[in-house]
Amino acid sequence: MARENPGWGYRRVHGELLGLGHNVAASTVWSILKQAGINPSPQRVDRSWAAFLKAQSSAIVATDLFHIDTVFLRRWFVLFFINHGTRRVHIAGITRHPTSLWITQQARNYLMDLGDHAKSIKFLIRDRGAYFTDSFDAVFQAIGVHVLPTLPRVPRMNAIAERWIGSCRREATDRILITGERHLRLVISEYAKHYNQHRPHRSLGQRPPDLLTKPEPPTTTHHHRQHSRPSTRSTRRPHPRIHAGRIG
């Protein structure tokens, strides 16, 4: 019971055993767990936020909004979603005025683009920006997704999304003078394509998100035959008896 339920301490296991009709003392349960090398305390499980993200990564999607200033001092906002398990990023939209109605519509479009894959999402992480309203949350809650707002001034709770923003700035937008909306859309879409299809990720075994399948190792047994060749570097003459025999 303790191995299958890491959050149970010896008291919980004792109660479950009593419910099953096994009349044993709590101290006996404690001793059995100790002898088996299992900590009787229920705190043997890491309950940190990082542990939760790692355990549920395949079912978590994060979203965020960041701004880009053009050379003409106009500010544009980019809304994106990123899957924690695959690290695949989806650019939802670009606008100068991120209103609640606009962001809610981008959330609907995102789920429509996912199709049946939307069923795999169980949690959505977002910050507490005023543009993420109840109508935005309702789009995801309608399909059974739990919306998890981050704590105020704790950007590490949305670290995956924040890291992508940093990568996008360092590798793309900070290296180019953006002239306008059309130029920004081109730069962001090209970088997202590069990020998903080519850029290696340490968490994915140095593979990009779209190439998660491990390539088969090369083999020489199917298409190539190996042949041994006598060394031509030796200058020693063969023994005379070798030529005396019959060949064939």
Side-chain angles (χ1 to χ4, degrees), residues 46-57 60 123 125 148:
D46 186 359
R47 297 178 181 273
S48 65
W49 178 253
F52 166 77
L53 295 181
K54 184 177 181 180
Q56 303 291 337
S57 61
I60 296 178
F123 303 96
I125 300 177
L148 304 175

Side-chain angles (χ1 to χ4, degrees), residues 60-115:
I60 296 178
V61 167
T63 186
D64 206 348
L65 195 74
F66 70 103
H67 68 270
I68 299 294
D69 293 327
T70 69
V71 293
F72 300 108
L73 303 181
R74 292 185 177 181
R75 176 163 293 184
W76 292 86
F77 294 86
V78 181
L79 177 68
F80 69 95
F81 295 86
I82 185 169
N83 186 287
H84 272 217
T86 64
R87 293 297 199 272
R88 194 177 198 283
V89 67
H90 174 91
I91 305 301
I94 298 174
T95 183
R96 288 196 64 192
H97 306 288
T99 63
S100 172
L101 293 177
W102 180 83
I103 287 186
T104 301
Q105 184 58 48
Q106 304 313 311
R108 297 192 187 99
N109 296 343
Y110 171 64
L111 293 181
M112 291 179 62
D113 291 340
L114 288 181

Side-chain angles (χ1 to χ4, degrees), residues 63-66 77 79 98-100 103-104 125-137 147-154 158 162:
T63 186
D64 206 348
L65 195 74
F66 70 103
F77 294 86
L79 177 68
T99 63
S100 172
I103 287 186
T104 301
I125 300 177
R126 63 163 178 82
D127 62 23
R128 293 179 177 268
Y131 29 80
F132 292 125
T133 60
D134 292 341
S135 60
F136 173 86
D137 294 347
V147 179
L148 304 175
T150 61
L151 295 177
R153 300 180 181 179
V154 187
N158 201 5
E162 295 288 346

Side-chain angles (χ1 to χ4, degrees), residues 87 163 170 195 199-209:
R87 293 297 199 272
R163 187 178 301 172
R170 289 190 304 270
Y195 187 90
R199 188 181 187 276
H201 298 261
R202 286 184 296 176
S203 61
L204 303 179
Q206 298 296 354
R207 296 189 297 270

Side-chain angles (χ1 to χ4, degrees), residues 116-131:
D116 294 336
H117 295 288
K119 299 178 181 178
S120 63
I121 304 175
K122 301 302 179 184
F123 303 96
L124 174 74
I125 300 177
R126 63 163 178 82
D127 62 23
R128 293 179 177 268
Y131 29 80

